[in-house]
């Protein structure tokens, strides 16, 4: 994975790197005297088709300096340039791989593995190269990279077999056991492994000390004696943070993480099930956040402690072996812990799905209305009433119809002559009952009927429904022999009634027609107060 241009620019960079770092001229530019003087420092190597000179120690030092300084791209560029110029060298492949692995990205990890494998093709028994490759494999996720992760233990065994008492064998053995927290430049344990070791060390320190303050003091004294041990530094910083008064609630999950996990899991699951069964409001879900707050806050405290300890721990001097850690190797991440965490997560998920077992009840109540026609509407007296109405005037025609069921009503307003010579001034018709689940588009029925008749729809609009709520939709229409807007009709729908007010009065504007319809509806419908269920 190069970060530069074509081969020509690469050759230029390689020559520049050689000239800058090693005081050498590009091949072909040396004078005879200079070439003779350089014979002892750089000799031809015919076994490397890409190289003309034997690698000098200064070359590797320059790559290592860039790597130690965090200039990873520069380290990779220098290593590849040196490989291009001098040919294969175990140290260059090792440093190139470390410069990729330090990026901690999948693509760079793949490039690091390729560099290590290319180097091992030429130097199969180079201990430093084997150690670098083993570290990459040992820290790989077994789920994402099972093949790479499986190669780690085999590489560690090979190193120990080649040189059982060497510094490299000791290093890779401790790395494989998870004892090493500060690894050579360019390498690091994955955050999950760091957190696992950190929790184990803190839990052990709290169990061995009478209180948190004593545990923090002892941890700091031990860390001061081993300034290069990042594991001790992380333990000391974590215990110091737990010793603060504001972190008292975090000490229990730090002492007994699995017990705390299941305690929180059971409480959260019980709350979720109870909330679903009793249909508590949504805002009560805040309790879940409060119950899980100590666990979340402890994870943040641990993360901050790792970052603080890493920042203040000095870098181990070059070529200095890591000192033996005074702490015992932490136990491996057991399958019991994994199963417990998976079971806890499954329990919470099942509890979160409990509303499916107890769906929230729908509001099926509706207002119970009694229809009572007003004596006049638009100045016209009540002309007909279905069903019959007691106490009406002498001109009222009361009729009964078999087509009308319970709750249906129709009231016409006008004069007896209007039934013969013209239409009634107003007509109020509708039904009372349970309409809480009615289709809201039912207010368009009268409008659709008009569209299928010989009438012409002149205007359609939605109007405010008034105090009874629901929907109110009005339509103005006329026949071919009439002026536009000769008639108006407004249809309402609410949870307890459905009806239409027809106004045969020409030239009513929108507001006036809607206001008359609301007044007629509010006057006709009276809520039943006899004690039946009401919305």
């Amino acid at each position: 994975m190069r970060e530069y241009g074509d081969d020509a620019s690469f050759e230029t960079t390689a020559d520049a790197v050689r000239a800058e770092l090693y005081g050498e001229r590009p091949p072909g530019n040396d004078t005879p005297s200079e070439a003779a003087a350089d014979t002892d420092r750089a000799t031809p190597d015919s076994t490397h088709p890409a190289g003309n000179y034997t690698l000098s120690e200064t070359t590797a030092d320059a790559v290592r300096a860039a790597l130690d300084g965090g200039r990873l791209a520069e380290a990779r560029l220098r290593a590849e340039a040196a490989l291009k110029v001098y040919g294969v060298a175990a140290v260059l492949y090792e440093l190139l791989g470390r410069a990729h692995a330090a990026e901690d990205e999948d693509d760079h990890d793949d490039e690091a593995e390729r560099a290590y494998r290319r180097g091992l093709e030429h130097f199969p028994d180079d201990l430093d190269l084997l150690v670098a490759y083993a570290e990459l494999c040992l820290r790989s996720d077994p789920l994402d990279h099972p093949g790479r992760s499986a190669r780690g233990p085999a590489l560690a065994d090979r190193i120990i077999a080649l040189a059982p008492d060497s510094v490299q064998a000791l290093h890779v053995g401790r790395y494989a056991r998870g004892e090493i927290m500060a690894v050579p430049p360019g390498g690091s344990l994955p955050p999950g492994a760091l957190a696992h070791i950190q929790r184990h060390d803190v839990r052990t320190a709290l169990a061995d000390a009478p209180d948190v303050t004593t545990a923090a003091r002892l941890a700091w004294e031990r860390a001061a004696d081993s300034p290069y041990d990042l594991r001790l530094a992380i333990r000391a910083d974590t215990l110091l943070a737990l010793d603060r008064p504001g972190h008292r609630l975090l000490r229990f999950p730090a002492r007994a993480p699995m017990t705390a996990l299941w305690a929180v899991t059971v409480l959260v699951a019980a709350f979720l099930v109870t909330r679903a069964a009793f249909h508590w409001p949504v805002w009560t879900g805040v309790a879940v956040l409060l119950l899980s707050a100590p666990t979340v806050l402890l994870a943040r405290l641990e993360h901050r402690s790792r970052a603080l300890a890493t920042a203040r721990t000095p870098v181990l001097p070059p070529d200095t072996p890591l000192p033996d850690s005074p702490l015992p190797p932490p136990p491996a991440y057991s399958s019991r812990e994994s199963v417990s965490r998976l079971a806890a997560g499954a329990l919470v998920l099942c509890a979160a799905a409990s509303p499916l077992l107890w769906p929230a009840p729908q509001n099926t109540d509706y207002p119970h209305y009694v229809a009572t026609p007003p004596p006049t509407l638009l100045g016209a007296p009540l002309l007909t009433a279905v069903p019959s109405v007691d106490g009406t005037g002498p001109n009222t025609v009361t009729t009964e119809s078999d087509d009308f069921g319970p709750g249906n009503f129709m009231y016409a307003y006008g004069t007896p002559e209007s039934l013969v010579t013209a239409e009634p001034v107003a007509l109020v018709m509708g039904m009372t009952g349970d309409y809480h689940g009615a289709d809201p588009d039912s207010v368009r029925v009268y409008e659709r009927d008009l569209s299928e008749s010989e009438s012409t729809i002149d205007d359609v609009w939605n109007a405010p429904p008034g105090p009874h709520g629901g929907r109110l939709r009005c339509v103005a229409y006329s026949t071919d022999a009439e002026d536009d807007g000769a008639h108006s009709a407004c249809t309402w729908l609410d949870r307890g009634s459905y009806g239409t007010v027809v106004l045969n009065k020409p030239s009513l504007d929108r507001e006036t027609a809607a206001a008359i319809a609301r007044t007629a509806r509010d006057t006709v419908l009276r809520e039943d107060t006899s004690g039946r269920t009401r919305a």
Side-chain angles (χ1 to χ4, degrees), residues 461-464 472 474 490 503 509-519:
W461 69 95
N462 292 314
L472 182 64
C474 299
C490 294
L503 305 174
D509 58 51
R510 286 186 170 190
E511 293 299 326
T512 302
I516 295 173
R518 285 192 296 267
T519 300

Side-chain angles (χ1 to χ4, degrees), residues 1 34 101 107 147 171 183 198 230 233 271 278 282 297 306 330 347 355 366 381 408 415 424 525 530 534:
M1 183 179 292
E34 290 172 331
D107 291 343
H171 170 79
V183 296
Q198 176 187 21
L230 182 57
F271 172 80
F278 291 94
V282 176
L297 292 176
R306 291 196 300 270
L347 180 60
Y366 62 94
N408 293 17
T415 62
L525 298 178
S530 62
R534 299 171 59 190

Side-chain angles (χ1 to χ4, degrees), residues 417-444:
E417 292 78 11
S418 64
L419 294 179
V420 179
T421 60
E423 299 169 320
V425 175
L427 182 66
V428 182
M429 50 188 174
M431 298 169 282
T432 61
D434 182 6
Y435 290 96
H436 80 274
D439 185 358
D441 280 345
S442 298
V443 293
R444 299 175 182 269

